[in-house]
Amino acid sequence: MATPTSTGRSTTGQDHLLVVDDEPTVRELLRTALCYAGFDVDAAATGQEALDLAVQCPPDLVLLDVMLPDMDGFEVIRRLRALPRSLPGRGGDVPVLFVTARETRQDRLDGLRLGADDYVTKPFDLEELIARINAVLRRTRGEAPARLVVGDLELVPEGHHVTRAGRTVRLSPTEFRLLHFLMANAGRTMSKGQILQSVWEYDFGGDPSIVDTYISYLRRKIDAEEPKLIHTVRGIGYVVREPRS
């Protein structure tokens, strides 16, 4: 393991990943394959070990199983998201990719609702998994443009700060990227395909229902009161626009 810097990157310049899985065979397979792919990898067999490592050696991304011996992965991500953002690296904003045998639609929705950036079910294709890891890392490191304003909604990329009518809105990393994309294209209807490609970077295809799920999360946080800013264009996609008089 290379020693991470204060930014969470290892001293070798490699992306630092944390693999959390209680199955030794899977854990070693992932560690070996990801090291071969050019990553610096730590591994944990329990949820508490993962949380301790996330503080001691901040990762750039966490690969997290749901079924762990001490607490499930859903509880692990809850605790990760509660970590202070002032910690070295990404703190509570560290990207999380579930890699698990729990494959029901409800499991997937629960993981995404808790702030996961992606959800992969076992058995998985290693090449596709690595592509997803790289996609998450690319989109969570995008350069921050100027602040965006639509009506009384304001988004400031630096610090991932969002306010609506002066009220702070706390968003998960994926919710923030989705809102950023829609606000950067304010007034233009974005199809689910465009959103998947730009926000999730699925070059190999993805489940369009994930877009509907995250739009519903944003609406609960952004459009809890009038006027509504996030609109559905039936048969096409979604648009963020200022209220019409």
Side-chain angles (χ1 to χ4, degrees), residues 21 26 29-30 33 63 99-100 120-130:
D21 198 299
V26 175
L29 168 67
L30 284 171
L63 287 90
V99 183
T100 177
V120 176
T121 56
K122 299 175 182 176
F124 51 83
D125 178 85
L126 273 172
E127 187 175 352
E128 178 179 321
L129 178 63
I130 291 170

Side-chain angles (χ1 to χ4, degrees), residues 104-119 171-172 174-176 178-179 182 192 195-196 199-200 202 206-222 230 232 237-238:
T104 69
R105 180 176 183 273
Q106 189 58 54
D107 287 330
R108 184 184 296 271
L109 290 176
D110 287 344
L112 296 172
R113 188 176 295 116
L114 289 168
D117 295 83
D118 205 344
Y119 196 104
L171 301 178
S172 73
T174 303
E175 291 168 347
F176 184 89
L178 175 56
L179 181 62
L182 292 174
K192 291 181 185 180
I195 294 171
L196 274 174
V199 178
W200 279 269
Y202 283 164
D207 183 358
S209 67
I210 194 174
V211 177
D212 303 319
T213 299
Y214 268 88
I215 287 290
S216 70
Y217 298 162
L218 281 183
R219 281 177 165 153
R220 291 175 200 164
K221 297 180 178 183
I222 300 297
I230 303 172
T232 301
Y238 298 97

Side-chain angles (χ1 to χ4, degrees), residues 27-74:
R27 198 166 59 246
E28 188 56 31
L29 168 67
L30 284 171
R31 187 208 293 269
T32 302
L34 294 173
C35 285
Y36 185 77
F39 297 104
D40 177 53
V41 185
D42 268 340
T46 69
Q48 189 57 56
E49 185 182 358
L51 292 167
D52 292 342
L53 281 172
V55 173
Q56 296 165 11
C57 303
D60 293 298
L61 181 142
V62 178
L63 287 90
L64 179 62
D65 191 10
V66 173
M67 295 178 287
L68 299 171
D70 54 343
M71 66 183 84
D72 65 27
F74 298 141

Side-chain angles (χ1 to χ4, degrees), residues 79-93:
R79 298 190 188 188
L80 280 173
R81 291 290 175 251
L83 290 175
R85 295 181 176 181
S86 58
L87 284 175
R90 302 295 301 272
D93 283 338

